[in-house]
Amino acid sequence: MSKKIKRRDFMRTSAVAGLALATPKGKPQGFPTIFTQSAVKPLVISSANGNRYKNGGDMTAVQRAFTMITQGADVLDAVIAGVNIVELDPLDDSVGYGGLPNAEGIVQLDSSCMHGPKKRAGAVGALEGVRTPSLVARAVMDNTDHHLIVGKGAQDFARNMGFKIEDDLNTVHSRQIWLEWKRRTDPAHYLNPKERAQVWYREGMKMVEEGLIDRDHFYGTINCDGINSKGEICGVTTTSGLAWKIPGRLGDSPILGAGLYVDGAVGAAGSTGRGEANLYNLCSFVIVEEMRRGAHPKDAGMEVLKRIKNNTIEKRLLNSKGNPNFGINFYILNAKGEYAGVTMYERSSFAICNEGGPQTLTCDVFLPGKPND
């Protein structure tokens, strides 16, 4: 009859055997091997202008952000440093310095940022006189108990934080474009509000078709999100908003859950395009929640585009096919490092930077054709 083995002796023997099996060749017996989950590959994703403008330097926004992340910088510091390049570049008239102004010729800027690991956020809206609203949004996050400060209060806060306040953020180009718009629309001064809105939109689209304004810059924004090898996710969105907007108008960019949403355990989503559609549907939040339930970034993005289409029923917002007559894009990243860029219509692109370098890619399309078909 064999000798009965005590349970604790069996467990001890099994553990030693397992350790021996786990020890690679060449390692001393008994030296523990630690098995860890493979690290996430760092990635930065942004709207297309994140790989277009350099402001006289040698890096685009996604390059700068990715480089900083791989050098160990905080992810939010990195993506904000990236979008600062675009905010400060006068050649991009959709954000920051030289962004297309409001109906009165004044540049008003919006921005939001979210820090996944810290579960903190900050935002500013209708901010005047500061070229880098993303940094002011970060200051709101770091120095206050609030998430959003707007208008004169946002400017006063920026001044108190030591930011330089300028009288005018227009460039020669942005002012010339605004004056051209005023020239075209001033004869319509006494139209009723409905007709005025139609003239405003029609003349703006004519300027797009004539090449005076980049189509993306008419709604203009940059969103940039990143993840490091630890799986830490952060994001930022910054914009000069809708061209020729009513003074004080806020779009989706400074609103958490619309222009930007980050959950450090799940992923991030941001947007460019028609802000009002994004605000009504809180699309960035919905995208992250879809990913929480297991959806791939592309599928989560397509789901919100479907929601926007179904919720757009006003005739003035529909084209001849009964579809939305506007464009909207989403840039999406999950905690695994998977990503997607999705768009309502064709002709849209987005940017990434990973170990293969910066790339501009084509967005996945929800509807065929163009907004004005």
Side-chain angles (χ1 to χ4, degrees):
M1 184 174 180
S2 60
K3 186 177 179 181
K4 191 172 183 180
I5 301 175
K6 293 183 180 180
R7 182 177 184 277
R8 65 186 176 187
D9 292 333
F10 173 78
M11 296 298 291
R12 186 184 300 118
T13 303
S14 299
V16 171
L19 181 61
L21 289 172
T23 304
K25 292 181 180 180
K27 273 197 174 185
Q29 291 294 319
F31 188 87
T33 298
I34 300 174
F35 292 93
T36 59
Q37 185 178 2
S38 59
V40 176
K41 291 185 177 180
L43 178 89
V44 175
I45 184 171
S46 83
S47 45
N49 49 353
N51 195 34
R52 188 177 303 158
Y53 297 95
K54 297 183 178 181
N55 193 31
D58 58 0
M59 284 189 178
T60 61
V62 291
Q63 284 178 284
R64 170 69 61 80
F66 182 78
T67 300
M68 290 180 63
I69 287 172
T70 54
Q71 290 175 346
D74 178 87
V75 177
L76 186 57
D77 287 342
V79 293
I80 288 179
V83 301
N84 286 163
I85 293 173
V86 185
E87 288 175 321
L88 293 169
D89 194 329
L91 297 179
D92 187 324
D93 51 19
S94 70
V95 295
Y97 175 55
L100 294 178
N102 65 21
E104 300 302 322
I106 298 170
V107 178
Q108 291 184 320
L109 305 175
D110 309 325
S111 182
S112 63
C113 64
M114 295 189 73
H115 198 292
K118 294 181 179 179
K119 300 189 183 299
R120 296 291 304 275
V124 289
L127 173 65
E128 298 176 14
V130 181
R131 298 188 181 197
T132 53
S134 61
L135 289 174
V136 185
R138 176 67 187 263
V140 171
M141 185 190 87
D142 288 339
N143 295 284
T144 79
D145 186 42
H146 310 308
H147 288 327
L148 177 62
I149 303 177
V150 302
K152 184 179 183 301
Q155 187 186 74
D156 290 343
F157 171 78
R159 182 182 290 106
N160 291 340
M161 289 292 105
F163 287 90
K164 179 182 178 181
I165 309 298
E166 300 181 59
D167 291 334
D168 187 4
L169 294 185
N170 276 294
T171 59
V172 172
H173 174 71
S174 67
R175 184 165 294 281
Q176 286 177 341
I177 293 296
W178 173 74
L179 287 171
E180 174 64 16
W181 175 78
K182 288 290 284 184
R183 182 187 67 77
R184 296 182 182 210
T185 58
D186 264 350
H189 242 46
Y190 297 100
L191 293 178
N192 65 45
K194 182 178 179 180
E195 291 172 331
R196 177 72 179 176
Q198 290 172 342
V199 170
W200 175 92
Y201 181 78
R202 183 178 68 244
E203 294 304 324
M205 287 297 99
K206 282 183 181 178
M207 294 174 72
V208 169
E209 296 302 327
E210 292 170 17
L212 296 174
I213 307 172
D214 186 303
R215 183 178 296 275
D216 291 337
H217 291 187
F218 189 71
Y219 294 102
T221 303
I222 181 171
N223 164 251
C224 187
D225 308 310
I227 186 170
N228 64 11
S229 60
K230 300 176 185 177
E232 297 174 333
I233 305 170
C234 298
V236 60
T237 298
T238 181
T239 185
S240 57
L242 181 64
W244 336 132
K245 60 192 174 185
I246 294 173
R249 174 262 189 187
L250 293 182
D252 61 315
S253 295
I255 306 301
L256 306 183
L260 175 70
Y261 196 72
V262 176
D263 185 314
V266 180
S271 178
T272 62
R274 179 173 165 78
E276 280 70 17
N278 201 5
L279 281 167
Y280 186 85
N281 295 280
L282 287 178
C283 298
S284 293
F285 175 78
V286 173
I287 287 172
V288 172
E289 290 305 296
E290 287 291 320
M291 291 194 294
R292 191 190 306 279
R293 290 190 283 268
H296 185 274
K298 176 184 174 180
D299 296 327
M302 290 298 179
E303 180 61 31
V304 299
L305 290 172
K306 178 181 177 181
R307 179 176 297 210
I308 291 172
K309 178 182 180 298
N310 292 341
N311 286 337
T312 303
I313 61 173
E314 293 182 71
K315 187 175 180 179
R316 66 185 179 88
L317 297 175
L318 300 175
N319 62 18
S320 60
K321 296 179 181 178
N323 292 324
N325 65 4
F326 53 82
I328 189 165
N329 306 332
F330 295 97
Y331 316 99
I332 310 162
L333 170 70
N334 70 15
K336 298 177 183 178
E338 298 171 327
Y339 62 89
V342 301
T343 182
M344 185 69 77
Y345 293 99
E346 60 187 18
R347 290 177 56 190
S348 293
S349 56
F350 68 106
I352 66 161
C353 191
N354 55 17
E355 58 191 5
Q359 306 168 56
T360 299
L361 307 174
T362 302
C363 290
D364 290 298
V365 178
F366 181 66
L367 292 174
K370 304 174 183 178
N372 55 359
D373 282 352

